[in-house]
Amino acid sequence: MNNIKMFLVRYAEIGTKGKNRYVFEDILCKRIRKRLEPLGHFEIRRDYGRIYVEAHSDYDYDMVMERLTKIFGIVGLCPVTVAEDFTYDSIRAAAIQHFEETFGPGTDNSYNGYNFSFKVHTRRINKNFPMNSMEIDMEIGHDLLEKFESKGLHVDVHKPDIMVEIELRGEKGYIYSKTIPGPGGLPVGTNGKAMSLLSGGIDSPVATYMISKRGVEMEAVYYNSPPYTSLRALEKVEKLGTIVSQYSGPIKLYVVNFTEIQLCIYDNCPHDQLTIIMKRIMFKIAQRLAERDDCQAIVTGESIGQVSSQTMQSLGVIDAAVDCPVYRPVIGMDKQEIVEYSQRIGTFETSIEPYEDCCTIFVDKHPVTKPKMASIEKSEKHLVGKVEELIDKAVETAEVKWLK
Ligand code: ATP
Ligand code: MG
């Protein structure tokens, strides 16, 4: 497939943004350019509501595909064969070459060689070509059939397995037939920035991915409790963030030392409220970091009813700790659904590696499931004069790591 010199990038949603459309397209082009930069010399071109990626050097097809299929905003990618001359012979040769490169031996198509039905569909953007669209459809269809019929190729004009698209633009012909799905969503950078509470579990990497998919740039914060949690636990979080960053772009991760705060809560508050109070302080710190970096919201991987700190009452009390929006994209998903999602985006295998989380170390056997705001506030009074300084220190000493 390495003979493919061009890809057509299909995008859907950004096409509906009216005047802003150009802004969205520009950002998508920029994202593509940045991701492909290390892999060769590529030109990213915008042309009449389309984006083309053109290779001007050798490149590794699989590596390029691996990156392109992770760029939010891309719905599909079509490998394109280009007819360099504006003649029927050139288009015919390119169509045959396209079939060989897309469906021939060594390619990863699911049709067992050329054993599929097809139809040709031509669009003349440049009308100066001496044949009309229907004539080109028929002639190219005939020539492809002649070449590949003995290998199983056949025509079906009503429900073809493969639609062969020919576009005549400028002084060239562009031929493509197969669409490799992209992740969809909106290009990162089109919708502000958010601070994700990233733990080593299954849920928060999925939540981070989901918000980023809507075009939001992501930062993250991890609460580390050495020596109760190990370096391996931190490395696991970094690894998860790095996997998500393959889609979202670089993630600025804050590693906050949370041990002293946890011990302070443990020593001063009722143990059945530890998790709730701890979460409230996590949120407060996240909000401080978010404000500092211009993030407009906090993101978590909470889902209603999953554990005691995720009941409706608990979530309400935790939310009340901050005054910025809190987004929980997996809120209505079952665990199994979140697991399947994480398998799809590639975080699952890392998430299930067995390292301890700070939340699990200080948990009570019987945590409250229906905390009352008044009761939590009363308990938190015991922290006054002790915890503020620790929070300031945690924010100030947070270590920054760039995940990419
Ligand atoms: P996850 O699978 O994302 O770890 P969970 O099911 O284990 O979530 P909790 O431990 O209650 O649930 O955590 C709920 C949310 O709180 C997480 O999804 C994450 O956003 C945040 N969180 C929990 N622990 C940490 C931590 N140590 N650092 C940063 N965020 C955390
Ligand atoms: Mg967890």
Side-chain angles (χ1 to χ4, degrees):
M1 276 293 267
N2 223 347
N3 288 323
I4 294 289
K5 290 279 178 281
M6 190 186 265
F7 299 92
L8 167 66
V9 176
R10 289 183 185 279
Y11 50 90
E13 218 176 328
I14 66 174
T16 65
K17 300 286 173 194
K19 267 193 281 178
N20 280 341
R21 171 186 178 135
Y22 296 103
V23 178
F24 282 76
E25 287 174 346
D26 269 348
I27 292 178
L28 181 54
C29 286
K30 222 186 322 185
R31 293 277 306 136
I32 296 171
R33 198 168 290 129
K34 192 142 204 117
R35 292 298 288 154
L36 295 188
E37 210 163 49
L39 302 183
H41 180 210
F42 297 91
E43 186 187 338
I44 320 299
R45 263 195 302 121
R46 244 174 46 183
D47 186 14
Y48 298 101
R50 309 218 146 186
I51 292 173
Y52 294 98
V53 176
E54 201 169 350
H56 292 304
S57 66
D58 281 343
Y59 67 94
D60 184 315
Y61 178 86
D62 292 335
M63 277 168 77
V64 165
M65 267 303 155
E66 159 94 20
R67 289 192 169 210
L68 287 176
T69 51
K70 288 182 175 169
I71 295 176
F72 292 136
I74 295 181
V75 169
L77 291 150
C78 308
V80 180
T81 306
V82 184
E84 295 291 343
D85 296 326
F86 209 51
T87 61
Y88 182 79
D89 282 349
S90 171
I91 293 166
R92 175 183 178 279
I96 289 171
Q97 184 192 338
H98 180 77
F99 260 50
E100 284 167 344
E101 284 169 357
T102 312
F103 306 107
T107 59
D108 58 350
N109 81 85
S110 51
Y111 288 105
N112 184 23
Y114 301 94
N115 192 11
F116 56 83
S117 64
F118 81 112
K119 177 187 173 178
V120 181
H121 175 241
T122 304
R123 254 173 306 182
R124 291 188 316 161
I125 291 53
N126 178 353
K127 307 266 186 221
N128 290 330
F129 199 77
M131 296 159 76
N132 69 27
S133 301
M134 286 243 292
E135 287 167 340
I136 300 170
D137 289 351
M138 280 172 53
E139 288 302 317
I140 294 288
H142 173 267
D143 288 345
L144 285 171
L145 204 55
E146 190 174 75
K147 176 90 183 166
F148 298 108
E149 194 170 19
S150 62
K151 299 190 170 121
L153 189 68
H154 47 286
V155 173
D156 183 340
V157 291
H158 301 294
K159 273 187 86 179
D161 296 322
I162 296 287
M163 188 71 126
V164 181
E165 304 279 356
I166 300 179
E167 276 184 28
L168 305 181
R169 291 173 180 267
E171 295 288 302
K172 286 182 181 173
Y174 299 94
I175 296 145
Y176 55 92
S177 60
K178 121 173 160 179
T179 304
I180 297 140
L186 297 167
V188 172
T190 57
N191 256 319
K193 206 167 18 164
M195 177 66 67
S196 182
L197 272 71
L198 188 62
S199 66
I202 295 169
D203 309 329
S204 50
V206 171
T208 310
Y209 173 99
M210 288 176 84
I211 294 295
S212 179
K213 184 169 177 228
R214 299 307 302 162
V216 181
E217 198 183 321
M218 298 308 295
E219 295 196 0
V221 53
Y222 169 64
Y223 299 93
N224 199 16
S225 304
Y228 301 99
T229 58
S230 65
L231 181 62
R232 301 290 295 275
L234 169 60
E235 284 169 353
K236 181 182 170 188
V237 170
E238 289 175 24
K239 201 163 141 194
L240 286 167
T242 305
I243 297 171
V244 175
S245 77
Q246 303 310 298
Y247 303 87
S248 68
I251 295 177
K252 184 181 184 181
L253 171 72
Y254 285 99
V255 181
V256 170
N257 192 320
F258 205 53
T259 315
E260 284 182 291
I261 293 171
Q262 272 186 306
L263 292 172
C264 180
I265 303 170
Y266 194 80
D267 290 341
N268 293 286
C269 299
H271 287 186
D272 63 347
Q273 296 179 343
L274 288 180
T275 311
I276 300 292
I277 295 172
M278 190 182 77
K279 275 276 153 68
R280 281 168 56 85
I281 295 180
M282 282 183 174
F283 273 46
K284 284 187 176 138
I285 294 173
Q287 183 175 17
R288 294 259 300 262
L289 296 170
E291 280 167 357
R292 198 161 83 181
D293 285 0
D294 243 347
C295 298
Q296 292 98 35
I298 290 175
V299 175
T300 83
E302 288 157 322
S303 139
I304 293 173
Q306 204 186 78
V307 288
S308 67
S309 60
Q310 298 178 23
T311 62
M312 289 292 279
Q313 292 84 351
S314 298
L315 291 171
V317 170
I318 295 169
D319 259 9
V322 291
D323 46 27
C324 66
V326 179
Y327 296 136
R328 302 179 168 96
V330 303
I331 194 76
M333 287 165 79
D334 296 344
K335 193 73 189 183
Q336 186 53 31
E337 289 171 319
I338 304 172
V339 163
E340 283 163 16
Y341 207 117
S342 72
Q343 285 168 329
R344 209 163 62 235
I345 67 174
T347 51
F348 181 72
E349 292 303 324
T350 306
S351 288
I352 57 170
E353 286 172 15
Y355 296 111
E356 66 293 332
D357 182 59
C358 71
C359 297
T360 50
I361 287 163
F362 292 95
V363 290
D364 192 60
K365 278 204 183 66
H366 302 289
V368 283
T369 54
K370 293 182 180 168
K372 292 263 184 306
M373 198 63 232
S375 161
I376 297 291
E377 277 172 348
K378 193 171 152 212
S379 305
E380 284 180 346
K381 289 227 163 65
H382 301 296
L383 299 173
V384 174
K386 304 186 184 87
V387 85
E388 300 85 348
E389 211 175 297
L390 295 179
I391 292 178
D392 287 346
K393 186 171 151 199
V395 170
E396 277 152 30
T397 61
E399 194 187 340
V400 172
K401 295 182 179 237
W402 278 95
L403 309 179
K404 56 187 172 187

